[in-house]
Amino acid sequence: MDYQAVLEEVAAYARPFVGRGHVADYIPALARVSPDRFGIAVADINGDVYGTGDWEIPYSVQSISKAFSLALVMAGSHGDDDIWQRVGREPSGTPFNSLVQLEWENGIPRNPFINAGALVVTDRLLTMTGDASTSMLEFLQTESGNPELAFDQAVAGSEADHGDRNAALAHFMASFGNLENPVPSVIEHYFWQCSIEMSCRDLAVAGGFLARHGLRADGSRLLEAREAKRINAVMLTCGTYDAAGEFAYRVGLPAKSGVGGGIVAVVPGRCTLCVWSPGLDARGNSVAGMAALDHFTTLTGWSIF
Ligand code: GLN
């Protein structure tokens, strides 16, 4: 596969979609990003990486961090499936920050990729490591091979200043006994993990273990193959919020998106992709990013379907 040629063609296809949609502004610090950005990168399973456009510009990973926190919790649980007592693995069909299902379902979030579920996962990671956001940052630095990765303090602060809804989700779950740590610590670590800045290059390389059936960049094992399979399955069914059905229909790959405009997608056994363009559709997914991934699987025939 001539990845570079495919990426150039994908970028040309996506160009008319760049700037469409709306840059997230409910976290005010995210709104300073130019809507005209577009970048895409692919890391193959050998670690060779290709990219075009703004593929080396760092941006806020936001909810893409939820895939990594789940991976770290599963990796640290040594086969014990406890986390699935506290969070489900079904698509929610509701927006990523919705409160409504939680009351009906006794404080057990539908899946780990909506905010409520991610708060539970971060809570577990906090118990396991003592410092959830730093352990994630260190993992991402190592796995991406980029020691410069850092938190964006302005984004983390802005999110905390406007974090009433996430605080409400966390308090509500605490009232059902579904948090192990105090609400302020859980939401603080969640805000910090969302604020990590990475480029498409960094994210494609760091997500390589999902394409390598659980093997890290250095060849050591992070996850059992069946655990990597499960994360990819939950990404497919829940990774793009209440648009996961539409995403499977158009793209057909496990993926995790974030309101920073990034989407990480996995072709198991072949490569990990990351695309970024900040204009979001009404469900919080990058408009040009979805168009690009749609065209990528059309060109390559690599939809898992
Ligand atoms: N930090 C964001 C929030 O909690 C993440 C949301 C997202 O990327 N969908 O609202």
Side-chain angles (χ1 to χ4, degrees), residues 70 74 81-89 111-112 230 234:
L70 179 62
M74 286 177 82
D81 273 353
D82 248 18
I83 190 70
W84 300 113
Q85 308 299 314
R86 298 176 54 199
V87 61
R89 42 182 188 253
N111 68 65
R230 287 175 178 166
V234 182

Side-chain angles (χ1 to χ4, degrees), residues 26-27 62-63 66 96 115 159 166 190 194 241 257-260:
Y26 75 102
I27 301 167
Q62 292 297 312
S63 282
K66 293 170 182 170
F96 62 82
N115 286 12
E159 190 154 357
N166 284 318
Y190 171 79
C194 288
Y241 323 122
S257 58
V259 294

Side-chain angles (χ1 to χ4, degrees), residues 96-107:
F96 62 82
N97 55 3
S98 171
L99 276 147
V100 292
Q101 270 167 355
L102 268 185
E103 181 157 32
W104 293 111
E105 298 179 2
N106 301 317

